[in-house]
Amino acid sequence: MRFTNSILIHQPVEKVFSFVSNFENSPKWNYAVITCERSTSGPLGLGHVFNHKRQFLGRVLEESFSISRFEHNARVTIESLEARYPFIMEYSFEPRDSNTLLINLFELRTTGPFRLAEFLLRPKVNKAVNHNLHALKSLLESNP
């Protein structure tokens, strides 16, 4: 299951990138994320690992993910590590005057019976991701 959403946020790229790429902020705008903590130290970047607790399909999952691509103020990609429902998520940040076009690519690797139900789940998951992006926009625009 793969889809892309985008949203224009009325804040500069530096601010949006800084907030989004620090995944410890995820519970503030992603209703599915209960907690998220960085498990590696040092400046945020490629290879950093986070542990998070999230809700998915009525279950609470404890998983880890790592930053697999990190281009300052341009792109950050995360990939799940040993997850029940493996995922890749990429955020791209494009300047638009003094605003930011945030593009989110989400890929959930489905297998077995879950793959058969994908066509039913796809609209629901896509709607949830879109809802989260709007929550992020609201949060960032209300805190100049």
Side-chain angles (χ1 to χ4, degrees), residues 19-144:
F19 188 82
V20 172
S21 64
N22 178 358
F23 294 97
E24 291 175 306
N25 289 323
S26 298
K28 296 175 183 175
W29 58 273
N30 186 330
Y31 75 88
V33 179
I34 301 165
T35 61
C36 187
E37 298 174 351
R38 186 165 27 159
S39 63
T40 47
S41 60
L44 184 66
L46 188 64
H48 275 284
V49 175
F50 292 81
N51 299 314
H52 72 169
K53 197 181 288 189
R54 68 180 172 120
Q55 298 174 14
F56 186 70
L57 299 176
R59 295 182 172 160
V60 174
L61 306 173
E62 293 187 40
E63 302 169 326
S64 297
F65 61 87
S66 67
I67 296 177
S68 59
R69 186 172 181 183
F70 190 87
E71 298 171 24
H72 189 71
N73 291 337
R75 182 179 327 273
V76 62
T77 304
I78 61 173
E79 296 187 38
S80 59
L81 304 170
E82 301 179 26
R84 181 174 183 148
Y85 303 104
F87 66 88
I88 296 174
M89 195 172 320
E90 180 176 274
Y91 296 95
S92 298
F93 306 82
E94 296 181 7
R96 296 285 195 266
D97 296 319
S98 59
N99 304 309
T100 303
L101 178 63
L102 176 64
I103 303 166
N104 173 236
L105 168 70
F106 180 76
E107 181 179 332
L108 185 64
R109 298 181 195 137
T110 55
T111 58
F114 188 69
R115 184 150 179 84
L116 297 174
E118 182 177 316
F119 75 98
L120 296 171
L121 293 172
R122 187 177 186 3
K124 184 176 180 173
V125 173
N126 191 30
K127 182 178 178 183
V129 170
N130 196 34
H131 171 83
N132 289 334
L133 291 179
H134 279 84
L136 173 64
K137 173 184 173 73
S138 179
L139 178 65
L140 288 175
E141 290 178 357
S142 67
N143 293 311

